[in-house]
Amino acid sequence: LTNMMGRWEVLGSKPTIIADSAHNKEGLDWAMQQLATMPREKLHIVMGAVNDKDLDKMLALFPAEGTYYFAKPDIPRGLDASSLQTLAAKFNLHGQTYPSVQSALAEATSNANEKDLIYVGGSTFVVAEVL
């Protein structure tokens, strides 16, 4: 509703690709509620984070049924993708790591069929890299 770039922004269709810059518990709570209402066959989540967030509160909100593509945002505060993968596993969120947000999105797009949904988020910096 804000018309702000990167806030629940549809980047593509067939598969649907949504980028959302929610990066805290309150924003992600709304985004994950919206995500749950979206029609799809499979869910692919391209995720990155910065190293100064309360990731336990954030990761607890993400759906376990997604396939995750973990990547480090290209900033000094970016959390290493392997570290994010390890933290996410505590919440039953599983996937592979990628050397960049762009390569993670490319892999998600390659793996998705036209009825799937790809969500890109976890950090404003992740979304900025795909806009």
Side-chain angles (χ1 to χ4, degrees):
L1 299 175
T2 66
N3 293 321
M4 183 177 98
M5 285 184 65
R7 188 68 176 136
W8 202 260
E9 186 169 344
V10 178
L11 302 180
S13 61
K14 296 185 181 183
T16 301
I17 303 172
I18 296 174
D20 190 73
S21 59
H23 58 277
N24 58 32
K25 182 186 180 301
E26 294 74 22
L28 281 167
D29 185 44
W30 178 87
M32 293 302 107
Q33 288 179 43
Q34 287 296 111
L35 190 62
T37 69
M38 300 293 297
R40 63 186 181 247
E41 283 188 359
K42 292 182 182 175
L43 176 60
H44 305 264
I45 298 180
V46 176
M47 177 190 285
V50 292
N51 59 20
D52 58 356
K53 293 289 181 181
D54 186 347
L55 292 175
D56 283 347
K57 287 182 181 175
M58 293 171 55
L59 291 169
L61 299 171
F62 279 87
E65 75 269 11
T67 299
Y68 286 79
Y69 304 78
F70 300 107
K72 176 187 177 292
D74 190 22
I75 60 167
R77 288 175 37 221
L79 180 65
D80 177 74
S82 295
S83 297
L84 180 57
Q85 180 187 42
T86 299
L87 290 169
K90 294 189 318 184
F91 297 91
N92 203 28
L93 310 177
H94 301 287
Q96 300 301 311
T97 62
Y98 296 87
S100 70
V101 172
Q102 287 294 336
S103 63
L105 179 56
E107 185 69 13
T109 303
S110 175
N111 291 340
N113 74 45
E114 66 179 31
K115 294 181 181 180
D116 287 354
L117 174 64
I118 300 171
Y119 175 88
V120 180
S123 168
T124 302
F125 300 105
V126 169
V127 171
E129 289 186 42
V130 301
L131 293 182

